[in-house]
Amino acid sequence: MRKFFPVEDLARDSRFTQINMRQAEADPRTALVGPNAGKRAKVNRLTPSRPDASEAARNLMHGIFVGEIQALEGAGRTCHDFELPDSKDPLSTDTVPFALKLDMARQAWDESRHVEISVKLGEWMGAEIGQFAENTILFEAACSNDPVMRLAGVNRALEGLAIDVFTTMKEFGEVAGDPFLEFCEDWMLADEVTHVKMGSDWLRKVTENDPERRKKALEFQSIVDRLFSFGGARSESDDSPIGLARRFRELAGFTTDEVDEIADVSLAALEARKAFSAAAMASAE
Amino acid sequence: MTVPFVTVTVEPEEFRFVAFDSALIRKIGESYVASLRIDRPVRIRVDETTPLGRIRAEIGDTIEVTVESGAFENAKQPRQQSEVATNINLGRILLRVSDRLHGGFAETPLDDDMSLPQMAAWETYCAGRLTRMGLRINKQRWLYNFRNRHGFTDVADAAFETLWSADNLTWSELDTISSNATLNAVPS
C-alpha cells in the first residue's frame, strides 16, 4: 500500500470542494473591520444569542465533519507510513514504536466514529455533505516525514483545536437546549482530550534523548497553531467565534505556559488578520 | 391589476472583494418585485467587506435592502456568487417587505426591535412560501433555526409546520403561533 500520501490525492466524491489555506487567507473580508464593522455585535463568539447562530453553527459543524475525515486520514497514515525501530539504529527519525502505532490505530477508530456522528449532527442541523468548502490544512499538517512532527502538528495542534471547537459547540448546544448536540460534542471532546494526551506523551517520550528534535517539533506545532487559528477564528478574544478551552487543554497535558503561548499566537493571528483586511480595504478605496 | 414598472438598482455595480454579478442580482430582484407586486423602487446594497450573511430592509419611498456578501455567496467556493443563494436570500427579504406593504403586518416591530423567536417565525413563514414558489429549500435548516429559538419540543415542531405551510398569515397570527410555541413548550 502506498505510503506518504499527498493532500492532492485524498479520496473525495463530487460533493466535496477543497480549498487550501492560501486561498482561505487571501479573502480580505472580515466582520471585524471595515465601514460597517461598528454596526455589528461587539461579541463575535459563537453563541445562540447571535442572530446568525444557526447558520454559523451549521457551518462550523461541517468544518468539524471534514476535519474528522482528515484526522482519520492523518492518524491512519501515521500508523501505516512508518516502520518499527531498528535496534541497530535507535536514533532513526523515520520509525515509531509499536505502541505508538497502536495509539494511532485507536485514534483512527475514534475519528471514524466522529465522522459518522458529525454527519448525523450535520443532517440534524440542516447541513448537506459538501455544502461548504473543505479546507485541507488539517491533513497537510499530517504529511511530515518525521512522525514527531506529525504528533506535534496533528495530535497537539489539530486535536488541540478540536478541543476548543468541541467545547464551543458543546456550550452552544447546552445553551440552545439542543438535546443531541451537547451530548455528542461532550463525548467527542473526551476522545479529543485523550488524543492530545497521547500526542503530548509520545512527543516527550520519543524525543527524550533528542532535545533538538523536540525543539523543532514544538516550533512546528507553534506554526500549525497559528494556521489553525484561522486568522483569529480561535482565540481568547470576544472577536473570535471559537474560544480557547484552557481547562480541557490542561487535562490533555498542555502546561499553563504552553496554553499561554497558544493564546498569544492566536491573538497575534487575529490582529494580523484585522491588519490585512484593513490594508486591503484601504487600498480598494 | 396593472403593476407599475419598478426599478431595481444594485450597489456596487462592480465588486472588488467578491466575484459577484450585479446584473444577475438586479435580474433576480426585478423578478421578485414583479411577482410580489412591490410598488416602489428597490435599492440593493451589498456589503462586500464582510463574509457574514445578514440581510435587512428599510421601507421608505425607496426600499433599501442591505445584504452582507455571505448571503449571496457560494459556500463551496468562497467569494464566488451563488445564484441559488441569491434567489433564496433576496426572496426571503423581499417577501418580508411584501408582507409589510400588503396589509396585516402594520403592527410588526422594526427588524432591529424584533425578538429572535419572532424573526425565526417570520423567516419560517417566508421559507415555506419560497418552497411553494419553486425554490429548493432545505427544510431541516429552517426547522433547526426555529428550534434554536423556540425550544427543541414537539410543540415547537408543530408550530413550525403551521408556519411553513401557511400562505396568508397576519403578523398577529404569526406572533401568536410563535409565542404559544415558546410558552407552551413541553420537552419531547
Side-chain angles (χ1 to χ4, degrees):
Chain A
M1 197 164 92
R2 182 176 176 181
K3 293 194 172 186
F4 299 101
F5 214 73
V7 66
E8 296 79 18
D9 289 350
L10 288 176
R12 296 289 186 276
D13 65 34
S14 60
R15 290 172 296 180
F16 291 82
T17 306
Q18 296 180 325
I19 60 168
N20 58 34
M21 202 63 189
R22 187 174 297 173
Q23 290 168 302
E25 288 199 329
D27 188 344
R29 297 172 301 159
T30 175
L32 303 175
V33 295
N36 298 316
K39 298 175 193 165
R40 298 191 189 104
K42 296 282 179 285
V43 175
N44 205 27
R45 190 56 51 84
L46 178 53
T47 63
S49 61
R50 263 175 63 162
D52 65 342
S54 305
E55 189 64 27
R58 185 169 26 255
N59 191 335
L60 184 55
M61 177 49 65
H62 193 275
I64 291 173
F65 159 60
V66 293
E68 296 292 358
I69 297 175
Q70 292 176 38
L72 162 63
E73 290 165 323
R77 297 312 309 179
T78 300
C79 189
H80 175 71
D81 284 348
F82 303 102
E83 301 298 332
L84 295 174
D86 183 345
S87 57
K88 293 175 190 164
D89 184 13
L91 290 179
S92 162
T93 58
D94 57 1
T95 61
V96 294
F98 182 69
L100 192 157
K101 281 178 175 261
L102 275 183
D103 273 350
M104 291 300 109
R106 175 254 161 96
Q107 185 178 331
W109 183 30
D110 289 346
E111 306 295 8
S112 63
R113 226 173 34 246
H114 295 180
V115 170
E116 292 184 329
I117 292 169
S118 300
V119 167
K120 289 186 186 302
L121 281 176
E123 286 172 357
W124 163 252
M125 297 166 84
E128 294 168 21
I129 291 176
Q131 181 181 346
F132 301 94
E134 175 187 8
N135 190 322
T136 54
I137 180 66
L138 306 185
F139 185 79
E140 286 176 64
C143 289
S144 174
N145 290 345
D146 184 342
V148 169
M149 295 286 190
R150 293 197 190 180
L151 290 171
V154 178
N155 283 73
R156 285 175 53 88
L158 188 162
E159 301 291 303
L161 171 67
I163 286 178
D164 302 329
V165 171
F166 287 151
T167 301
T168 297
M169 284 297 261
K170 174 180 175 297
E171 290 169 358
F172 182 98
E174 198 172 1
V175 174
D178 184 329
F180 299 123
L181 185 62
E182 192 233 341
F183 178 81
C184 292
E185 297 295 334
D186 197 31
W187 278 70
M188 291 195 287
L189 176 59
D191 287 340
E192 302 301 355
V193 170
T194 307
H195 299 164
V196 176
K197 184 78 167 56
M198 290 189 312
S200 301
D201 291 348
W202 277 117
L203 182 72
R204 288 185 187 111
K205 192 167 181 178
V206 173
T207 61
E208 204 167 14
N209 301 312
D210 194 345
E212 187 59 27
R213 192 178 176 203
R214 178 182 295 181
K215 186 171 166 238
K216 277 184 187 167
L218 292 176
E219 282 171 1
F220 179 63
Q221 182 194 322
S222 184
I223 292 167
V224 177
D225 269 324
R226 187 191 70 77
L227 289 170
F228 284 177
S229 293
F230 292 118
R234 181 272 311 271
S235 85
E236 290 188 311
S237 164
D238 284 343
D239 282 342
S240 298
I242 303 161
L244 198 61
R246 281 184 171 266
R247 175 69 185 131
F248 286 109
R249 281 180 171 272
E250 284 164 11
L251 288 173
F254 283 99
T255 64
T256 303
D257 284 349
E258 285 174 333
V259 180
D260 285 344
E261 191 189 335
I262 294 166
D264 290 344
V265 164
S266 303
L267 206 55
L270 175 66
E271 293 307 322
R273 178 72 194 166
K274 286 184 192 175
F276 168 70
S277 294
M281 287 173 202
S283 68
E285 280 171 3
Chain B
M1 191 174 84
T2 308
V3 180
F5 178 75
V6 171
T7 59
V8 175
T9 53
V10 177
E11 295 177 8
E13 282 191 11
E14 291 192 9
F15 294 89
R16 295 164 298 177
F17 298 151
V18 292
F20 287 6
D21 180 353
S22 59
L24 175 63
I25 298 169
R26 186 168 57 248
K27 186 178 141 198
I28 293 170
E30 285 169 349
S31 164
Y32 278 116
V33 161
S35 63
L36 298 174
R37 296 185 293 116
I38 289 173
D39 62 358
R40 62 198 77 182
V42 175
R43 179 160 46 216
I44 302 168
R45 287 188 170 135
V46 180
D47 179 357
E48 59 172 333
T49 64
T50 172
L52 297 181
R54 293 188 69 181
I55 43 176
R56 50 194 293 137
E58 286 178 27
I59 300 176
D61 292 339
T62 296
I63 295 162
E64 304 279 358
V65 176
T66 309
V67 184
E68 293 178 335
S69 66
F72 290 169
E73 186 174 20
N74 181 348
K76 283 172 176 277
Q77 294 175 311
R79 302 165 73 186
Q80 304 298 309
Q81 189 173 0
S82 159
E83 187 169 349
V84 172
T86 306
N87 244 308
I88 291 173
N89 292 319
L90 212 43
R92 282 166 55 201
I93 193 69
L94 291 177
L95 267 174
R96 275 168 36 203
V97 167
S98 171
D99 286 340
R100 285 188 188 273
L101 289 175
H102 292 139
F105 278 71
E107 71 276 34
T108 310
L110 294 172
D111 284 5
D112 286 345
D113 298 332
M114 202 170 286
S115 70
L116 291 173
Q118 284 175 323
M119 185 57 86
W122 201 2
E123 292 277 34
T124 299
Y125 177 47
C126 292
R129 285 180 289 168
L130 285 174
T131 302
R132 291 185 289 285
M133 289 168 72
L135 294 186
R136 179 184 170 270
I137 308 263
N138 185 327
K139 188 176 179 182
Q140 186 69 20
R141 169 188 169 188
W142 294 102
L143 175 59
Y144 186 72
N145 185 54
F146 192 81
R147 285 168 166 167
N148 263 327
R149 304 309 183 198
H150 293 84
F152 290 76
T153 67
D154 292 341
V155 173
D157 286 5
F160 172 86
E161 287 299 335
T162 304
L163 291 165
W164 184 267
S165 54
D167 279 309
N168 292 299
L169 292 177
T170 63
W171 171 256
S172 172
E173 290 167 336
L174 186 149
D175 192 30
T176 301
I177 293 168
S178 173
S179 302
N180 288 343
T182 311
L183 289 174
N184 300 324
V186 178
S188 54

